[in-house]
Amino acid sequence: MTDLVAAYPWGLYLIVALTPFVQEDAAVISAAAASAAGAGETPILFASLLAGLSVSDLWKYWLGRAAHYNEWGRKAASKPAVLAAKDKVVRRLGLSLVTARFVPGTRIPLYIACGFFRAPFPRVALVDI
């Protein structure tokens, strides 16, 4: 395995960057294990992991945003309960995103909701990074 990493070091960094799309915890543990084993450069492993974590979260925002191009999405966005939820999430966007990071099962739906609610992307991205 170490011969493979030595021959293709970019492959390790690519795997670390793509693993968060499958499972975030596994990505963090894999990057830490690779760093501890000396399989890659720690700063590059960290940067690859951070990029992968951020991109894997932020694409979910755009998934929610894309719902507005669907008739069902536009209709759902105008319902009173959805408008009330939008107001609460957007008003306390930073707190919502940080809380979702630590409450299991809420991160993915919240990022999709932020896109659906058209929360300001720069603020979402700033909190995510």
Side-chain angles (χ1 to χ4, degrees), residues 96-111:
S96 298
L97 290 167
V98 170
T99 301
R101 204 22 102 183
F102 299 102
V103 178
T106 60
R107 187 179 46 80
I108 293 171
L110 183 66
Y111 274 90

PDB file of all heavy atoms in Angstrom, residues 96-111:
ATOM      1  N   SER A  96     -28.077  28.401  13.570  1.00  0.00           N
ATOM      2  CA  SER A  96     -28.695  27.190  13.025  1.00  0.00           C
ATOM      3  C   SER A  96     -27.649  26.269  12.420  1.00  0.00           C
ATOM      4  O   SER A  96     -27.655  25.052  12.656  1.00  0.00           O
ATOM      5  CB  SER A  96     -29.729  27.552  11.953  1.00  0.00           C
ATOM      6  OG  SER A  96     -30.764  28.323  12.484  1.00  0.00           O
ATOM      7  N   LEU A  97     -26.745  26.832  11.627  1.00  0.00           N
ATOM      8  CA  LEU A  97     -25.729  26.012  10.965  1.00  0.00           C
ATOM      9  C   LEU A  97     -24.741  25.411  11.960  1.00  0.00           C
ATOM     10  O   LEU A  97     -24.356  24.242  11.830  1.00  0.00           O
ATOM     11  CB  LEU A  97     -24.993  26.840   9.913  1.00  0.00           C
ATOM     12  CG  LEU A  97     -25.831  27.211   8.690  1.00  0.00           C
ATOM     13  CD1 LEU A  97     -25.126  28.273   7.864  1.00  0.00           C
ATOM     14  CD2 LEU A  97     -26.136  25.983   7.852  1.00  0.00           C
ATOM     15  N   VAL A  98     -24.330  26.176  12.937  1.00  0.00           N
ATOM     16  CA  VAL A  98     -23.402  25.644  13.949  1.00  0.00           C
ATOM     17  C   VAL A  98     -24.086  24.563  14.776  1.00  0.00           C
ATOM     18  O   VAL A  98     -23.496  23.514  15.054  1.00  0.00           O
ATOM     19  CB  VAL A  98     -22.854  26.787  14.844  1.00  0.00           C
ATOM     20  CG1 VAL A  98     -22.101  26.237  16.033  1.00  0.00           C
ATOM     21  CG2 VAL A  98     -21.963  27.716  14.037  1.00  0.00           C
ATOM     22  N   THR A  99     -25.327  24.780  15.143  1.00  0.00           N
ATOM     23  CA  THR A  99     -26.066  23.776  15.915  1.00  0.00           C
ATOM     24  C   THR A  99     -26.220  22.492  15.114  1.00  0.00           C
ATOM     25  O   THR A  99     -26.043  21.395  15.647  1.00  0.00           O
ATOM     26  CB  THR A  99     -27.453  24.324  16.318  1.00  0.00           C
ATOM     27  OG1 THR A  99     -27.257  25.509  17.092  1.00  0.00           O
ATOM     28  CG2 THR A  99     -28.241  23.308  17.116  1.00  0.00           C
ATOM     29  N   ALA A 100     -26.543  22.619  13.823  1.00  0.00           N
ATOM     30  CA  ALA A 100     -26.720  21.432  12.979  1.00  0.00           C
ATOM     31  C   ALA A 100     -25.437  20.618  12.865  1.00  0.00           C
ATOM     32  O   ALA A 100     -25.474  19.410  12.654  1.00  0.00           O
ATOM     33  CB  ALA A 100     -27.194  21.845  11.594  1.00  0.00           C
ATOM     34  N   ARG A 101     -24.309  21.248  13.021  1.00  0.00           N
ATOM     35  CA  ARG A 101     -23.027  20.548  12.965  1.00  0.00           C
ATOM     36  C   ARG A 101     -22.915  19.530  14.104  1.00  0.00           C
ATOM     37  O   ARG A 101     -22.246  18.520  13.973  1.00  0.00           O
ATOM     38  CB  ARG A 101     -21.944  21.600  13.084  1.00  0.00           C
ATOM     39  CG  ARG A 101     -20.584  21.426  12.588  1.00  0.00           C
ATOM     40  CD  ARG A 101     -20.282  20.472  11.569  1.00  0.00           C
ATOM     41  NE  ARG A 101     -20.096  20.954  10.240  1.00  0.00           N
ATOM     42  CZ  ARG A 101     -19.872  20.122   9.241  1.00  0.00           C
ATOM     43  NH1 ARG A 101     -19.822  18.841   9.419  1.00  0.00           N
ATOM     44  NH2 ARG A 101     -19.719  20.562   8.047  1.00  0.00           N
ATOM     45  N   PHE A 102     -23.571  19.804  15.222  1.00  0.00           N
ATOM     46  CA  PHE A 102     -23.428  18.957  16.405  1.00  0.00           C
ATOM     47  C   PHE A 102     -24.661  18.136  16.751  1.00  0.00           C
ATOM     48  O   PHE A 102     -24.605  17.302  17.650  1.00  0.00           O
ATOM     49  CB  PHE A 102     -23.028  19.826  17.613  1.00  0.00           C
ATOM     50  CG  PHE A 102     -21.723  20.527  17.405  1.00  0.00           C
ATOM     51  CD1 PHE A 102     -21.681  21.871  17.065  1.00  0.00           C
ATOM     52  CD2 PHE A 102     -20.532  19.830  17.525  1.00  0.00           C
ATOM     53  CE1 PHE A 102     -20.468  22.512  16.858  1.00  0.00           C
ATOM     54  CE2 PHE A 102     -19.319  20.466  17.315  1.00  0.00           C
ATOM     55  CZ  PHE A 102     -19.280  21.799  16.982  1.00  0.00           C
ATOM     56  N   VAL A 103     -25.776  18.368  16.082  1.00  0.00           N
ATOM     57  CA  VAL A 103     -27.006  17.615  16.361  1.00  0.00           C
ATOM     58  C   VAL A 103     -27.180  16.576  15.248  1.00  0.00           C
ATOM     59  O   VAL A 103     -27.424  16.956  14.094  1.00  0.00           O
ATOM     60  CB  VAL A 103     -28.232  18.544  16.448  1.00  0.00           C
ATOM     61  CG1 VAL A 103     -29.493  17.734  16.678  1.00  0.00           C
ATOM     62  CG2 VAL A 103     -28.042  19.564  17.559  1.00  0.00           C
ATOM     63  N   PRO A 104     -27.054  15.321  15.591  1.00  0.00           N
ATOM     64  CA  PRO A 104     -27.141  14.274  14.555  1.00  0.00           C
ATOM     65  C   PRO A 104     -28.458  14.329  13.776  1.00  0.00           C
ATOM     66  O   PRO A 104     -29.523  14.570  14.335  1.00  0.00           O
ATOM     67  CB  PRO A 104     -27.057  12.972  15.364  1.00  0.00           C
ATOM     68  CG  PRO A 104     -26.379  13.356  16.644  1.00  0.00           C
ATOM     69  CD  PRO A 104     -26.807  14.767  16.919  1.00  0.00           C
ATOM     70  N   GLY A 105     -28.334  14.138  12.472  1.00  0.00           N
ATOM     71  CA  GLY A 105     -29.506  14.068  11.617  1.00  0.00           C
ATOM     72  C   GLY A 105     -30.068  15.395  11.155  1.00  0.00           C
ATOM     73  O   GLY A 105     -31.094  15.421  10.477  1.00  0.00           O
ATOM     74  N   THR A 106     -29.425  16.508  11.497  1.00  0.00           N
ATOM     75  CA  THR A 106     -29.978  17.811  11.126  1.00  0.00           C
ATOM     76  C   THR A 106     -29.159  18.552  10.067  1.00  0.00           C
ATOM     77  O   THR A 106     -29.684  19.448   9.417  1.00  0.00           O
ATOM     78  CB  THR A 106     -30.102  18.731  12.353  1.00  0.00           C
ATOM     79  OG1 THR A 106     -28.805  18.932  12.921  1.00  0.00           O
ATOM     80  CG2 THR A 106     -31.039  18.133  13.387  1.00  0.00           C
ATOM     81  N   ARG A 107     -27.906  18.194   9.891  1.00  0.00           N
ATOM     82  CA  ARG A 107     -27.027  18.951   9.005  1.00  0.00           C
ATOM     83  C   ARG A 107     -27.485  18.902   7.552  1.00  0.00           C
ATOM     84  O   ARG A 107     -27.656  19.950   6.914  1.00  0.00           O
ATOM     85  CB  ARG A 107     -25.582  18.449   9.126  1.00  0.00           C
ATOM     86  CG  ARG A 107     -24.585  19.277   8.376  1.00  0.00           C
ATOM     87  CD  ARG A 107     -23.178  18.740   8.571  1.00  0.00           C
ATOM     88  NE  ARG A 107     -23.093  17.302   8.426  1.00  0.00           N
ATOM     89  CZ  ARG A 107     -23.046  16.663   7.254  1.00  0.00           C
ATOM     90  NH1 ARG A 107     -23.077  17.343   6.143  1.00  0.00           N
ATOM     91  NH2 ARG A 107     -22.980  15.355   7.213  1.00  0.00           N
ATOM     92  N   ILE A 108     -27.725  17.727   7.022  1.00  0.00           N
ATOM     93  CA  ILE A 108     -28.107  17.614   5.615  1.00  0.00           C
ATOM     94  C   ILE A 108     -29.448  18.307   5.353  1.00  0.00           C
ATOM     95  O   ILE A 108     -29.548  19.127   4.429  1.00  0.00           O
ATOM     96  CB  ILE A 108     -28.103  16.139   5.159  1.00  0.00           C
ATOM     97  CG1 ILE A 108     -26.664  15.610   5.175  1.00  0.00           C
ATOM     98  CG2 ILE A 108     -28.720  15.991   3.766  1.00  0.00           C
ATOM     99  CD1 ILE A 108     -26.538  14.115   4.959  1.00  0.00           C
ATOM    100  N   PRO A 109     -30.496  18.035   6.144  1.00  0.00           N
ATOM    101  CA  PRO A 109     -31.759  18.741   5.887  1.00  0.00           C
ATOM    102  C   PRO A 109     -31.632  20.261   6.029  1.00  0.00           C
ATOM    103  O   PRO A 109     -32.260  21.008   5.272  1.00  0.00           O
ATOM    104  CB  PRO A 109     -32.716  18.182   6.949  1.00  0.00           C
ATOM    105  CG  PRO A 109     -32.138  16.878   7.356  1.00  0.00           C
ATOM    106  CD  PRO A 109     -30.662  17.020   7.187  1.00  0.00           C
ATOM    107  N   LEU A 110     -30.808  20.730   6.967  1.00  0.00           N
ATOM    108  CA  LEU A 110     -30.687  22.174   7.146  1.00  0.00           C
ATOM    109  C   LEU A 110     -29.971  22.826   5.970  1.00  0.00           C
ATOM    110  O   LEU A 110     -30.388  23.900   5.506  1.00  0.00           O
ATOM    111  CB  LEU A 110     -29.967  22.525   8.449  1.00  0.00           C
ATOM    112  CG  LEU A 110     -29.884  24.028   8.689  1.00  0.00           C
ATOM    113  CD1 LEU A 110     -31.277  24.617   8.905  1.00  0.00           C
ATOM    114  CD2 LEU A 110     -29.002  24.346   9.864  1.00  0.00           C
ATOM    115  N   TYR A 111     -28.909  22.208   5.460  1.00  0.00           N
ATOM    116  CA  TYR A 111     -28.224  22.782   4.302  1.00  0.00           C
ATOM    117  C   TYR A 111     -29.146  22.826   3.094  1.00  0.00           C
ATOM    118  O   TYR A 111     -29.160  23.794   2.334  1.00  0.00           O
ATOM    119  CB  TYR A 111     -26.933  22.024   3.985  1.00  0.00           C
ATOM    120  CG  TYR A 111     -25.771  22.528   4.783  1.00  0.00           C
ATOM    121  CD1 TYR A 111     -25.453  21.986   6.021  1.00  0.00           C
ATOM    122  CD2 TYR A 111     -24.980  23.575   4.317  1.00  0.00           C
ATOM    123  CE1 TYR A 111     -24.392  22.460   6.765  1.00  0.00           C
ATOM    124  CE2 TYR A 111     -23.915  24.057   5.050  1.00  0.00           C
ATOM    125  CZ  TYR A 111     -23.625  23.496   6.273  1.00  0.00           C
ATOM    126  OH  TYR A 111     -22.577  23.976   7.005  1.00  0.00           O
TER     127      TYR A 111
END
